[in-house]
């Protein structure tokens, strides 16, 4: 578990933790980068949209092993849960913008969805919970 | 993250390095837009070869630089894309929106 505040200065620290964690779990380099990018973008969204750029709000991150049956085989993975206490998020706003529009912004959700096998947003009591899961390709897992 | 600016005749060159994320992309955006509007050189080059990481807000800063340049009739050119920069531009489907060159020599000669 990692507890931090909503100050963007912590983004690099989290990237510095997620990248080697992904590598240790057996993800190939490219997926390590995409998982790290997804977590970074998710945290940025919390800072910007959930907390309105306030720097002192709590964020909790949980990392644990995930497992699923896929094509008749058990597949191991990494589950990352990000929790914040901002206002409830309208799920309709979690779609991202069309990529054929050339304008700044709105790309973070695409990066998250591209990287992860599961992207689930739920609200539990006063907490927004974003669950991200990525599974390791067969044969690569060291879990 | 470091950002420095060079001038080579009628070309402005930005050298970006390190990690560009939400903590510092506003600085990239402000520096690039200010320099574009003040120098008004016909070509603006951005060196991304030393960028270890760039997020969506960094990409947004580059898009703003492109738009500001186009509005002023200038060319906005990227070169030396690092692995991270190339990946996010491909994911964003922006590789064909920007002028992209392999290295500074090619960008200067373009």
């Amino acid at each position: 578990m990692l507890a931090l505040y909503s100050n963007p200065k912590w983004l690099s620290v989290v990237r510095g933790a997620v990248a080697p964690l992904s590598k240790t779990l057996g993800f190939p380099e490219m997926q390590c980068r995409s998982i790290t990018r997804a977590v970074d973008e998710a945290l940025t969204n919390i800072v910007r949209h959930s907390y309105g750029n306030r720097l002192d709000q709590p964020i909790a991150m949980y990392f644990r092993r995930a497992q699923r049956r896929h094509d008749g085989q058990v597949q191991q993975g990494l589950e990352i849960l990000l929790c914040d206490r901002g206002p409830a998020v309208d799920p309709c706003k979690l779609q991202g913008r069309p990529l054929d529009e050339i304008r700044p912004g709105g790309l973070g959700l695409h990066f998250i969805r591209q990287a992860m096998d599961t992207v689930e947003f739920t609200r539990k009591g006063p907490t927004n919970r974003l669950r991200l899961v990525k599974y390791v390709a067969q044969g690569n897992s060291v879990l | 993250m470091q950002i420095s600016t060079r001038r080579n005749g009628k070309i402005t060159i930005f050298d970006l390095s390190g990690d560009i994320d939400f903590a510092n992309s506003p600085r990239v955006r402000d520096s690039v837009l200010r320099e574009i509007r003040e120098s008004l050189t016909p070509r603006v080059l951005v060196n991304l070869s030393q960028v270890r990481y760039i997020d969506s807000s960094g990409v947004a800063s580059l898009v703003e630089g492109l738009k500001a340049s186009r509005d002023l009739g200038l060319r906005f050119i990227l070169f030396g894309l690092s692995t991270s920069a190339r990946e996010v531009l491909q994911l964003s489907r922006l590789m064909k929106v920007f002028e992209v060159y392999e290295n500074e020599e090619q960008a200067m000669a373009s």
Side-chain angles (χ1 to χ4, degrees):
Chain A
M1 188 264 191
L2 193 59
L4 59 149
Y5 290 106
S6 53
N7 189 321
K9 75 179 182 182
W10 294 110
L11 292 170
S12 62
V13 176
V14 173
R15 290 197 301 273
V18 173
L21 173 63
S22 306
K23 187 171 184 178
T24 301
L25 294 180
F27 289 99
E29 287 288 341
M30 192 172 178
Q31 286 186 3
C32 291
R33 290 194 299 273
S34 64
I35 293 167
T36 304
R37 184 162 51 237
V39 173
D40 181 76
E41 296 286 352
L43 281 174
T44 295
N45 282 347
I46 290 172
V47 173
R48 292 181 67 187
H49 303 301
S50 197
Y51 287 141
N53 293 320
R54 282 175 290 165
L55 306 179
D56 57 352
Q57 301 299 300
I59 300 171
M61 301 180 66
Y62 301 87
F63 302 85
R64 67 179 180 187
R65 285 188 291 179
Q67 188 173 291
R68 73 175 177 184
R69 187 163 283 279
H70 186 69
D71 289 339
Q73 294 190 315
V74 175
Q75 210 173 10
Q76 306 290 338
L78 170 64
E79 176 181 321
I80 303 163
L81 185 65
L82 295 96
C83 301
D84 71 78
R85 300 210 153 215
V89 177
D90 179 356
C92 293
K93 293 184 176 175
L94 297 175
Q95 302 304 316
R97 68 163 170 81
L99 284 178
D100 51 5
E101 292 177 13
I102 301 167
R103 63 175 173 81
L107 293 170
L109 274 169
H110 285 290
F111 293 171
I112 296 169
R113 293 190 191 283
Q114 173 274 333
M116 309 305 289
D117 293 315
T118 302
V119 179
E120 287 176 353
F121 179 82
T122 55
R123 176 84 176 180
K124 189 172 183 182
T127 305
N128 293 313
R129 295 157 56 103
L130 180 65
R131 179 173 168 265
L132 308 174
V133 186
K134 183 68 179 177
Y135 294 96
V136 185
Q138 300 292 344
N140 285 348
S141 175
V142 293
L143 288 167
Chain B
M1 192 277 297
Q2 301 256 325
I3 179 167
S4 60
T5 310
R6 295 178 278 145
R7 192 77 57 80
N8 187 334
K10 293 183 176 178
I11 302 174
T12 300
I13 306 164
F14 293 99
D15 295 300
L16 306 181
S17 63
D19 289 12
I20 304 174
D21 64 11
F22 184 58
N24 53 42
S25 62
R27 191 151 61 86
V28 174
R29 176 189 176 278
D30 293 347
S31 299
V32 169
L33 292 181
R34 184 175 59 247
E35 188 68 26
I36 286 171
R37 288 166 181 155
E38 288 179 1
S39 67
L40 292 174
T41 54
R43 272 190 286 173
V44 178
L45 275 52
V46 182
N47 177 6
L48 296 170
S49 62
Q50 299 303 311
V51 171
R52 188 175 61 174
Y53 177 81
I54 179 167
D55 75 344
S56 63
S57 70
V59 174
S61 299
L62 297 178
V63 171
E64 289 201 63
L66 174 67
K67 289 202 163 200
S69 299
R70 284 182 175 175
D71 289 346
L72 293 166
L74 318 174
R75 291 170 63 196
F76 189 84
I77 297 166
L78 310 180
F79 71 87
L81 271 57
S82 63
T83 301
S84 176
R86 187 171 295 276
E87 282 178 349
V88 294
L89 289 176
Q90 286 173 337
L91 287 170
S92 316
R93 299 186 196 160
L94 290 170
M95 282 294 281
K96 291 182 178 175
V97 173
F98 287 98
E99 271 191 76
V100 179
Y101 293 93
E102 284 299 312
N103 53 48
E104 183 167 339
E105 291 70 30
Q106 290 180 11
M108 294 285 282
S110 66

